[in-house]
């Protein structure tokens, strides 16, 4: 139930419209129910007592009421459905903005397809009940209450006898809800898993084709699809039992009504007109019950979907601006790692609380200082922790021990927005948006001019190949930039980082796929561009970092050696061995 209440909170801003809608609804239902009374007059007075002078008024009233109902119901539908659509709009916005605030660690733990299904299909399931359900729910509830009152006012005992089966229906719904709840929850989960599988397949289609794994992937998809089918079939089975039983109970009611009513008339305790009115109102009685049963079903589905939506909305924002975080207008570029320890902690899983286990330490008590304007290289074996150091420096994660500082400010005390203006990184796996080359470069500084973009591209040694593209800078690069080679993609992301003009630049294997000649040119312009700026470079190609002011050799999350190339060579440690290994031929 709290889920429903929480969803209702999103309706708060629309309360005036909703009240107006409900006003219309009351009028509408009244207009719907009034004709029954007129029929009572027509049968009992006009026909039975031959009071023909009442007929024109009765007919005029019927027409008038129909007119009112038409206008009011159209207006109300429009009002409430607009509210419903605005509600899901708000919900989607809330989800998107929450997702953008969640830390990287969250996305580490989630499958993107599952998240997509929460934002799309789960919101849709909620939309179904809010847009159509609320209006229907209230209309039918009002109809039912109105009819109950009319029934009892026409004849108390006949009314009570007719209404009694509602309690049986209520009981049936309770039993049904209890069982169907589990089914609908599973159904949403299966759909999430199915979407996750699909996004994985689309993302990895080259690998799948490369190893001809299509049949296996198809089979794996079928397994999930079938599980989804099975759980939906069990929902159908439950509904197929409930709905007919409700139908039976209701037709039984009409038998009671007619039988008991006839008996009352014969005994002179009820009029024929009364029974006709009962019959007329009957459809406002069975219809709503049938409808409410279906809305109840929709509601159960919405609760299951709402649960998944709130799992996102409730996820903790571990990396966030603390209150009073400072906005750094300018930085010099002094970077300090002060006894930093870190492990990629498992973010609380969407599937519920996880067993708290200590994440293995990836960095252990790392300390170093980088002076403004220095060129620093991080080297070390794969998995040593280089990218992790960069990730901490851009505060994609917070350290579990110690502190990362920029110009003496703990990163946790600085607003993320200002921090990321000063610390820009080119990550190991380049990502290009489905947009033009120029837009992809401009991403780091939306106000940059075309000339600045070209200058950045030249510095990244990308201008030449971009000019040869069919539309130059306007060429669309597909999703993930598939139309470009690995080295070309890297150069575009280097250009993007150059354009940002940040005080600190982190290059993580930024030129690993670029040929040495071009790499050399990039580093040359880097030195020119970054006069007075701090740059950190992680690389496996040791020949590129000989002139670095400082080389940090990382192993197993610790700094093993530090110094200049010359110093480290003299030390004859790990670095010297790595250099010698690279200089020797491999084959
Ligand atoms: N997002 C992540 N979630 C969990 N563990 C991670 C994550 N990224 C890296 N790790 C782990 O942290 C360790 C250090 O990884 P890191 O990416 O920092 O290495 P690296 O030195 O950059 O290696 P490479 O030279 O291959 O890029 C590895 O053991 C890896 O398994
Ligand atoms: Mg790395």
């Amino acid at each position: 139930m709290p889920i429903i209440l929480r969803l209702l909170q999103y309706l708060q801003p629309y309360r005036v419209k909703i009240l107006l809608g409900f006003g219309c609804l009351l009028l509408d239902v009244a207009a719907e129910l009034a004709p029954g009374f007129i029929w009572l007059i027509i049968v009992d007075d006009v026909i039975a007592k031959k009071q023909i002078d009442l007929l024109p008024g009765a007919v005029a009233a019927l027409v008038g009421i129909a007119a009112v109902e038409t206008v009011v119901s159209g207006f109300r539908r429009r009002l409430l459905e607009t509210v419903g659509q605005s509600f899901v709009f708000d919900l989607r916005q809330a989800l998107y903005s929450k997702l953008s605030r969640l830390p990287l660690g969250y996305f580490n733990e989630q499958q993107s397809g599952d998240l997509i299904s929460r934002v799309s299909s789960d919101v849709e399931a909620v939309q179904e009940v809010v847009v159509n359900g609320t209006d229907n729910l209230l209309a039918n509830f009002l109809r039912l209450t109105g009819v109950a009152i009319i029934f009892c006012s026409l004849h108390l005992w006949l009314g009570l006898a007719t209404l009694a089966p509602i309690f049986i229906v209520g009981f049936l719904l309770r039993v049904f809800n209890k069982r169907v709840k589990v089914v609908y929850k599973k159904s949403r989960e299966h759909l999430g898993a199915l979407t996750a599988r699909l996004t994985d397949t689309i993302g990895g289609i080259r690998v799948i084709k490369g190893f001809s794994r299509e049949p296996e992937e198809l089979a794996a998809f079928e397994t999930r699809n079938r599980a989804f089918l099975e759980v939906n079939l069990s929902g159908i089975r439950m509904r197929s039992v409930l709905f007919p039983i409700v139908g039976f109970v209701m037709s039984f009611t009409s038998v009671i009504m007619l039988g008991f009513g006839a008996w009352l008339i014969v005994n002179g305790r009820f009029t024929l007109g009364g029974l006709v009115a009962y019959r007329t109102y009957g459809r406002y009685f069975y219809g709503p019950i049938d409808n409410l049963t279906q809305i109840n079903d929709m509601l159960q589905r919405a609760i299951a979907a709402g649960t998944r939506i709130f799992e996102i909305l409730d996820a903790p924002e571990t990396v966030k601006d603390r209150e009073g975080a400072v906005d750094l207008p300018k930085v010099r570029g002094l970077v300090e790692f002060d006894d930093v320890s870190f492990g990629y902690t498992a973010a609380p899983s969407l599937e519920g609380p996880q067993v708290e286990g200590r994440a293995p330490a990836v960095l252990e008590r790392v300390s170093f200082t980088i002076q403004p304007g220095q060129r620093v290289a991080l080297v070390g074996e794969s998995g040593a922790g280089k990218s992790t150091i960069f990730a901490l420096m851009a505060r994609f994660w917070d350290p579990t021990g110690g502190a990362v500082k920029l110009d003496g400010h703990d990163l946790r005390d600085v607003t993320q927005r200002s921090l990321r203006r000063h610390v820009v990184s080119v990550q190991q796996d380049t990502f290009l948006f489905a947009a033009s080359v120029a837009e992809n470069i401009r991403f780091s500084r939306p106000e940059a001019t075309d000339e600045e973009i070209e200058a950045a591209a030249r510095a990244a040694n990308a201008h030449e190949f971009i000019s040869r593209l069919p539309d130059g800078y306007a060429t669309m690069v597909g999703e993930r930039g598939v139309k470009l080679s690995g080295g070309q993609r890297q150069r575009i992301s280097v250009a993007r980082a150059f354009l940002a003009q940040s005080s600190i630049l982190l290059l993580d294997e930024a030129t690993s796929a670029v040929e040495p000649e071009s790499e050399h040119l990039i580093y040359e312009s880097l030195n020119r561009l970054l006069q007075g700026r701090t740059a950190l470079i992680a690389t496996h190609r040791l020949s590129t970092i000989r002139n670095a002011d400082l080389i940090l050799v990382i192993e197993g999350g610790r700094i093993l050696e530090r110094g200049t190339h010359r110093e480290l060579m003299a030390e004859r440690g790990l670095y010297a061995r790595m250099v010698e290994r690279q200089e020797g031929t491999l084959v």
Side-chain angles (χ1 to χ4, degrees), residues 190-508:
H190 281 306
L191 181 59
L194 197 65
T195 321
R197 187 81 205 181
L198 182 65
T199 36
D200 218 28
T201 301
I202 294 171
I205 192 71
R206 279 190 78 130
V207 182
I208 293 171
K209 286 197 178 291
F211 292 102
S212 345
R213 289 283 304 241
E214 295 95 329
E216 288 88 344
E217 288 300 310
L218 179 63
F221 186 79
E222 186 178 342
T223 308
R224 279 181 175 69
N225 201 3
R226 198 161 289 287
F228 184 44
L229 172 70
E230 287 303 332
V231 74
N232 286 336
L233 288 181
S234 72
I236 290 178
R237 278 195 292 276
M238 288 182 189
R239 283 197 296 273
S240 71
V241 172
L242 175 79
F243 290 155
I245 292 185
V246 170
F248 175 75
V249 170
M250 295 325 290
S251 39
F252 190 65
T253 312
S254 91
V255 172
I256 296 180
M257 185 180 87
L258 283 177
F260 191 28
W263 185 81
L264 285 172
I265 293 174
V266 171
N267 284 292
R269 298 214 222 137
F270 199 39
T271 62
L272 185 60
L275 197 59
V276 170
Y278 253 77
R279 272 306 274 176
T280 315
Y281 284 121
R283 74 183 170 102
Y284 294 119
F285 184 61
Y286 310 125
I289 298 252
D290 204 46
N291 240 313
L292 285 175
T293 316
Q294 282 178 32
I295 293 166
N296 168 72
D297 187 53
M298 253 190 224
L299 202 62
Q300 298 308 318
R301 247 188 305 235
I303 290 175
T307 312
R308 284 163 53 82
I309 289 171
F310 282 113
E311 274 168 355
I312 293 184
L313 292 174
D314 292 342
E317 288 166 41
T318 46
V319 177
K320 65 172 173 194
D321 287 356
R322 70 164 182 74
E323 212 152 306
V326 293
D327 211 58
L328 291 184
K330 229 178 146 71
V331 302
R332 291 187 305 131
L334 174 72
V335 175
E336 289 164 279
F337 266 58
D338 186 4
D339 210 22
V340 169
S341 298
F342 178 72
Y344 288 94
T345 47
S349 159
L350 282 184
E351 273 77 49
Q354 269 198 342
V355 197
E356 267 307 314
R358 267 192 67 80
V362 173
L363 296 182
E364 278 183 87
R365 318 199 63 161
V366 172
S367 293
F368 60 84
T369 303
I370 298 168
Q371 298 302 331
Q374 275 195 327
R375 300 275 169 287
V376 177
L378 300 187
V379 301
E381 280 165 17
S382 188
K386 304 180 292 293
S387 299
T388 305
I389 289 179
F390 282 4
L392 291 179
M393 208 172 285
R395 205 187 163 209
F396 289 126
W397 307 79
D398 280 329
T400 41
V404 183
K405 293 180 189 164
L406 177 60
D407 279 10
H409 296 278
D410 189 320
L411 295 192
R412 286 167 289 207
D413 297 334
V414 176
T415 62
Q416 289 178 74
R417 207 174 161 79
S418 79
L419 173 69
R420 309 248 163 84
R421 224 179 15 243
H422 300 301
V423 181
V424 162
S425 53
V426 180
Q427 272 140 36
Q428 219 162 349
D429 42 350
T430 43
F431 184 89
L432 298 184
F433 295 97
S436 72
V437 172
E439 283 170 276
N440 264 291
I441 298 177
R442 204 195 297 275
F443 196 79
S444 63
R445 193 149 63 82
E447 71 279 7
T449 62
D450 290 348
E451 289 70 39
E452 286 173 315
I453 288 174
E454 191 184 313
R458 277 183 195 281
N461 199 30
H463 176 71
E464 213 170 301
F465 90 80
I466 295 173
S467 310
R468 281 201 307 269
L469 290 175
D471 294 320
Y473 282 83
T475 309
M476 294 296 288
V477 284
E479 218 177 33
R480 291 189 162 265
V482 279
K483 292 176 208 152
L484 297 176
S485 77
Q488 289 171 333
R489 281 207 305 263
Q490 278 194 339
R491 278 178 281 170
I492 288 182
S493 65
V494 170
R496 181 193 283 164
F498 280 172
L499 185 70
Q501 298 180 333
S502 61
S503 316
I504 294 164
L505 188 61
L506 311 174
L507 299 173
D508 192 355

Side-chain angles (χ1 to χ4, degrees), residues 11 14 17-22 24-25 28 72-90 92 126-139 298:
L11 288 175
Y14 306 105
K17 277 192 181 163
I18 292 173
L19 279 178
L20 212 62
F22 289 167
C24 292
L25 195 61
D28 194 6
V72 168
S73 80
F75 187 57
R76 165 202 118 211
R77 236 171 239 293
R78 191 176 140 182
L79 261 178
L80 292 182
E81 284 180 18
T82 309
V83 168
Q85 291 293 352
S86 313
F87 162 90
V88 285
F89 169 86
D90 293 346
R92 268 195 299 267
V126 172
Q127 164 175 347
E128 188 189 38
V129 77
V130 174
V131 174
N132 304 313
T134 326
D135 179 46
N136 260 325
L137 182 81
L138 280 153
M298 253 190 224

